Structure formats: structure tokens, C-alpha cells
């Protein structure tokens, strides 16, 4: 695997792969890779001949009181994991390479609708930062396909929408969330948890499973289900951010008639904010 830091080197390496007739896949990440990221790269290497991963902790998507400064940076370990997962090219730009004119005045890509509410409400500007950096990466690599985790369900919806609305010829693939044995969704931010917080953290997903089971059994009083799960979160020591049941394709609030649902949660444990979701297809098997 080659590691490059500049757009010029990136474009040259991708151009060579393309000249060899290779299909290009992109896996954008912020590093501190875990088994969830490895699954994205493995999927990419099954679906394309040349896999590009990026590691860039994007300042544009962090709020002023968020963890940009402390976000874990573990490049050497990440490189080993990427090699093992089948990555061919790693792009690790500096902030100046991504934003040579600075971030003030940077053209922003803004996706209305699906980016509103949920994380969009709790983290103002976050999805503009994500959409902008993902658009830049797409323009730099021009991949045939790009792979993202379903753990960031709203982010995936935002990216699917921007690709559709801006006519980008890129196939977007969502990969299922990878979980620890106790159900906790793998996340770079899990590393912030103390042993006690880590023991409590899987309660979040168990709450989603309880809601999903109740809905699958015919319950349609969504407000009551949410209220009950929120109370359980508080009792377990969480500070709830949001817990909502939405229609899975549009992300609008769910109605009793919807068949494709997603239950989305964000909650703080100590100062760490965890997110998770569970999609539920009432016409098929639970996802
Ligand atoms: O999901 C992430 O790690 C980031 O939001 C992404 C897509 C790499 C953009 O910075």
C-alpha cells in the first residue's frame, strides 16, 4: 500500500490505476480504524480492483466545543489495518492540503432535508462539513464507488442525496454496523469510555432492540416507546440527546403506516456522545 499526502500524488496514482482499466473504490475515514472500518475496506476490495482509503480528521465537521483536538490519531496502526484489509492507496492530507485557502470562506455543500434534525440539530454545521469534505474527496479521487458505514445512518442518507442531486456518477454502498459481542456499535469514540462507562454503553443498543421488538409485535404508540426507552437511558446513566423513530428512506418522522423504519439514538455517557441506530423492515426480516 502506498501512502500519499498530496492531491497531486493521489490523482497520479489513481490515474495510473484507471489507465490499467481498474475500477476504483473510495473509503473515506477519519482514522483510528477498527473492525468496522476494516469491513468497509474489505467490501471495497470485493467490489473494485483498486481501493483508496482516506484518513483526514476534518475540522470543518467539528463544532467549537467538540473533540477535534483530542480525536485519536493512530496512523501507523491504521496503515497496518488497511494493508491487511486490502487497501492499495492511502491518502492522508494535512488540513492545508485539503483547505489551501483556509476554511473561512470555503465553498460549502449543503444538503437540506435529510441533514436537518437528529445529528443535524445537535451538531449545527456538522453535515455541511461532512458533505463538503466528501464532495472534495469525490472530486479528487473520482471513484466508481464509495463505501460508508450504516452506523452513521443520517450521514449515509446525506451522502446518497448529495450524489443524486449533484449528478455524481458514484455508487454509494452502505455497510452494516459492526458490533462488539455485547452489542455496542464499534466507534473510534468508544476509546474515550472508562471501564464503567463501557459496561453501561451497550444499554443504548438494547433499548433500540426493545423498541424494534415492540414495533414488530404490532405496537404503534411510538411516543410511548421512545419515552420508555429514554427513561431507561437516564436510569442507566446516559444524558439523552435524541431518540427518534423515522421512516428509513426519507428520514421524516415515522407514521403508524410506514413499513421501513429506523430508530436513531444519540446520548452522552460522561462527556462522550454515542450514536446508534436500528433499521426495521416490517415487510421483511429485521435488518
Ligand atoms: O464518517 C466519517 O468518518 C466522516 O464523517 C467522513 C465520512 C470520513 C467525512 O469526514
Amino acid at each position: 500500500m502506498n501512502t500519499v499526502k498530496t492531491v497531486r500524488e493521489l490523482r497520479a496514482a489513481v490515474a495510473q490505476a484507471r489507465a490499467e482499466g481498474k475500477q476504483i473504490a473510495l473509503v473515506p475515514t477519519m482514522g483510528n480504524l477498527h473492525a468496522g472500518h476494516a469491513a468497509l475496506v474489505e467490501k471495497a476490495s470485493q467490489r473494485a480492483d483498486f481501493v483508496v482509503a482516506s484518513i483526514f480528521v476534518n475540522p470543518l465537521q467539528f463544532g467549537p466545543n467538540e473533540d477535534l483536538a483530542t480525536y485519536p490519531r493512530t496512523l501507523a496502526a491504521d496503515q497496518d489495518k488497511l494493508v491487511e484489509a486490502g487497501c492499495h492507496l492511502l491518502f492522508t492530507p494535512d488540513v492545508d492540503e485539503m483547505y489551501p485557502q483556509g476554511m473561512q470562506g470555503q465553498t460549502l455543500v449543503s444538503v437540506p432535508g435529510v441533514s436537518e434534525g437528529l445529528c443535524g440539530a445537535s451538531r449545527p454545521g456538522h453535515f455541511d462539513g461532512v458533505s463538503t469534505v466528501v464532495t472534495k474527496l469525490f472530486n479528487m479521487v473520482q471513484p466508481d464507488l464509495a463505501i460508508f458505514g450504516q452506523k452513521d445512518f443520517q450521514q449515509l442518507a446525506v451522502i446518497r442525496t448529495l450524489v443524486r442531486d449533484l449528478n455524481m456518477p458514484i455508487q454509494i454502498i452502505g455497510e452494516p454496523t459492526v458490533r462488539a459481542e455485547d452489542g455496542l456499535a464499534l466507534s473510534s469514540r468508544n476509546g474515550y469510555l472508562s471501564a464503567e462507562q463501557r459496561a453501561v454503553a451497550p444499554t443504548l443498543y438494547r433499548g433500540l432492540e426493545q423498541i424494534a421488538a415492540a414495533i414488530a409485535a404490532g405496537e404503534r404508540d411510538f411516543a410511548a416507546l421512545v419515552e420508555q426507552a429514554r427513561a431507561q437511558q437516564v436510569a442507566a446513566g446516559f444524558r439523552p440527546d435524541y431518540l427518534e423513530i423515522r421512516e428509513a428512506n426519507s428520514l421524516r418522522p415515522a407514521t403508524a403506516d410506514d413499513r421501513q423504519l429506523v430508530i436513531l439514538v444519540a446520548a452522552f455517557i460522561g462527556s462522550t456522545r454515542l450514536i446508534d441506530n436500528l433499521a426495521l423492515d416490517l415487510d421483511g426480516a429485521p435488518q
Side-chain angles (χ1 to χ4, degrees):
M1 183 184 75
N2 219 356
T3 299
V4 296
K5 289 186 73 73
T6 65
V7 179
R8 178 193 286 257
E9 294 166 300
L10 171 70
R11 284 196 200 278
V14 172
Q16 188 178 333
R18 200 169 284 294
E20 290 164 8
K22 292 180 174 165
Q23 286 258 311
I24 316 288
L26 174 65
V27 182
T29 82
M30 298 205 302
N32 193 236
L33 305 182
H34 50 64
H37 297 106
L40 305 183
V41 175
E42 281 157 18
K43 173 52 79 70
S45 65
Q46 289 159 14
R47 299 287 291 263
D49 315 297
F50 190 75
V51 179
V52 183
S54 60
I55 295 181
F56 179 61
V57 183
N58 174 33
L60 205 58
Q61 69 186 73
F62 285 77
N65 299 316
E66 294 184 352
D67 57 343
L68 173 63
T70 53
Y71 198 86
R73 280 134 170 115
T74 52
L75 181 60
D78 291 349
Q79 284 170 313
D80 291 344
K81 288 177 188 154
L82 288 171
V83 170
E84 204 174 317
C87 181
H88 300 100
L89 180 67
L90 170 62
F91 179 48
T92 58
D94 294 334
V95 173
D96 288 348
E97 183 69 13
M98 284 304 274
Y99 300 109
Q101 270 71 48
M103 284 177 292
Q104 204 68 37
Q106 161 73 42
T107 300
L108 295 179
V109 180
S110 192
V111 179
V114 288
S115 71
E116 290 157 19
L118 306 168
C119 287
S122 312
R123 305 183 66 189
H126 169 68
F127 284 121
D128 285 0
V130 170
S131 305
T132 302
V133 81
V134 167
T135 300
K136 284 169 77 74
L137 289 166
F138 284 174
N139 284 334
M140 291 167 184
V141 177
Q142 302 191 347
D144 299 288
L145 57 101
I147 310 205
F148 297 86
Q150 287 170 0
K151 180 179 156 271
D152 296 292
F153 196 94
Q154 190 179 16
Q155 168 174 282
L156 183 58
V158 166
I159 292 165
R160 285 191 198 284
T161 305
L162 90 82
V163 163
R164 182 200 67 194
D165 288 357
L166 299 180
N167 304 85
M168 296 180 176
I170 301 171
Q171 186 189 359
I172 302 299
I173 298 173
E175 265 293 285
T177 303
V178 178
R179 299 183 179 281
E181 260 179 33
D182 57 12
L184 179 66
L186 298 193
S187 163
S188 301
R189 290 189 168 102
N190 293 351
Y192 296 148
L193 301 175
S194 68
E196 281 148 32
Q197 291 168 338
R198 174 64 189 78
V200 169
T203 326
L204 209 57
Y205 185 58
R206 284 202 282 275
L208 300 186
E209 287 183 312
Q210 282 169 11
I211 295 176
I215 295 173
E219 179 60 73
R220 289 294 178 276
D221 187 346
F222 295 155
L225 289 174
V226 163
E227 201 35 58
Q228 200 179 352
R230 277 177 78 94
Q232 281 171 7
Q233 278 179 27
V234 172
F238 287 96
R239 182 160 55 85
D241 179 349
Y242 62 75
L243 175 60
E244 296 196 35
I245 304 172
R246 299 268 180 129
E247 198 283 325
N249 301 304
S250 60
L251 281 189
R252 62 164 168 67
T255 69
D257 296 330
D258 287 326
R259 307 300 294 166
Q260 276 79 43
L261 301 172
V262 59
I263 313 153
L264 304 115
V265 67
F268 288 89
I269 182 155
S271 56
T272 304
R273 183 174 177 277
L274 299 178
I275 62 169
D276 204 347
N277 66 80
L278 199 164
L280 184 65
D281 180 356
L282 295 174
D283 292 328
Q287 292 168 11

